[in-house]
Amino acid sequence: KAGVTQTPRYLIKTRGQQVTLSCSPISGHRSVSWYQQTPGQGLQFLFEYFSETQRNKGNFPGRFSGRQFSNSRSEMNVSTLELGDSALYLCASSLAQGARYQETQYFGPGTRLLVL
Amino acid sequence: DAKTTQPNSMESNEEEPVHLPCNHSTISGTDYIHWYRQLPSQGPEYVIHGLTSNVNNRMASLAIAEDRKSSTLILHRATLRDAAVYYCILTTGTASKLTFGTGTRLQVTL
């Protein structure tokens, strides 16, 4: 079974631009979560989507948004990019069946975004 | 969310066992203990999880204290490929919103 894939793997943008990152979950997985990883803040949860609906949200400004499609693929968008948005953006998927507190998350390799 | 405390770094020799500790004194009765690791230039990878009893899988063992206020991830024979940052995470309510701490950076040397 193919793992979680993320595109693009690397991206360079300038301040003020917007960016869209894509995530394809493992086949059959219904939940997709997004995380931001920076050297200063570590790994931080952005949001989770399940059945095309945002189910959980982290503490990020409204410039960060996402969506999920009917095939469970997900995109996240960052508008009006700031220098501090430079980070590794990770996507994780899970089956979303049964007890949610013991589900295993499967992470993709991430998209490294550099904002100049 | 309940907090976990881990040492910043640990070292091990290859082929020797490694015990990675995690303190979680404020754990609640329904919190699961999850361990993930992040190898260099990769996304985090699931290692193991448990609730009360010790758990084993092909990657590692998880030893949970009787009072559940601490746990230990055991790598039975460390290899160079086990060099990574290991995260101990408590899941409260949902495991799809993982709260990562700073983790333990494990160095494995020949």
Side-chain angles (χ1 to χ4, degrees), chain A residues 33 35 37 48 100-101 105, chain B residues 32 36 38 91 95-96 98:
Chain A
S33 299
Y35 293 81
Q37 185 171 28
E48 180 211 358
R100 291 174 61 194
Y101 41 82
Q105 298 291 304
Chain B
Y32 273 74
Y36 282 78
Q38 188 171 21
T91 52
S96 58
L98 298 173

Side-chain angles (χ1 to χ4, degrees), chain A residues 9 31 33 35 37 43 45 48 55-58 88 90 94 100-105 107-109, chain B residues 30 32 34 36 38 41-46 49 87 91-101:
Chain A
R9 291 294 311 279
S31 166
S33 299
Y35 293 81
Q37 185 171 28
L43 271 154
F45 172 81
E48 180 211 358
R55 189 162 68 170
N56 259 309
K57 190 177 188 307
L88 180 67
L90 291 154
S94 66
R100 291 174 61 194
Y101 41 82
Q102 58 173 317
E103 285 226 324
T104 296
Q105 298 291 304
F107 284 81
Chain B
T30 55
Y32 273 74
H34 290 249
Y36 282 78
Q38 188 171 21
S41 303
Q42 294 187 28
E45 171 187 43
Y46 167 81
H49 77 277
Y87 297 97
T91 52
T92 305
T94 173
S96 58
K97 179 185 176 183
L98 298 173
T99 302
F100 288 84

Side-chain angles (χ1 to χ4, degrees), chain B residues 14-44:
Chain B
E14 199 178 22
E15 310 252 320
E16 290 188 358
V18 182
H19 290 233
L20 298 165
C22 180
N23 285 317
H24 29 77
S25 58
T26 60
I27 190 170
S28 74
T30 55
D31 283 341
Y32 273 74
I33 302 159
H34 290 249
W35 284 81
Y36 282 78
R37 70 180 185 180
Q38 188 171 21
L39 281 64
S41 303
Q42 294 187 28

Side-chain angles (χ1 to χ4, degrees), chain B residues 52-56 62-65:
Chain B
T52 56
S53 305
N54 295 344
V55 184
N56 300 298
L62 176 59
I64 302 172

Side-chain angles (χ1 to χ4, degrees), chain A residues 55-76:
Chain A
R55 189 162 68 170
N56 259 309
K57 190 177 188 307
N59 189 24
F60 278 82
R63 299 185 297 108
F64 292 81
S65 63
R67 60 178 175 166
Q68 186 181 34
F69 302 95
S70 58
N71 61 359
S72 293
R73 192 177 69 83
S74 177
E75 288 181 347
M76 69 161 280

Side-chain angles (χ1 to χ4, degrees), chain A residues 1-5 25-27:
Chain A
K1 216 180 230 188
V4 177
T5 57
I26 292 172
S27 177

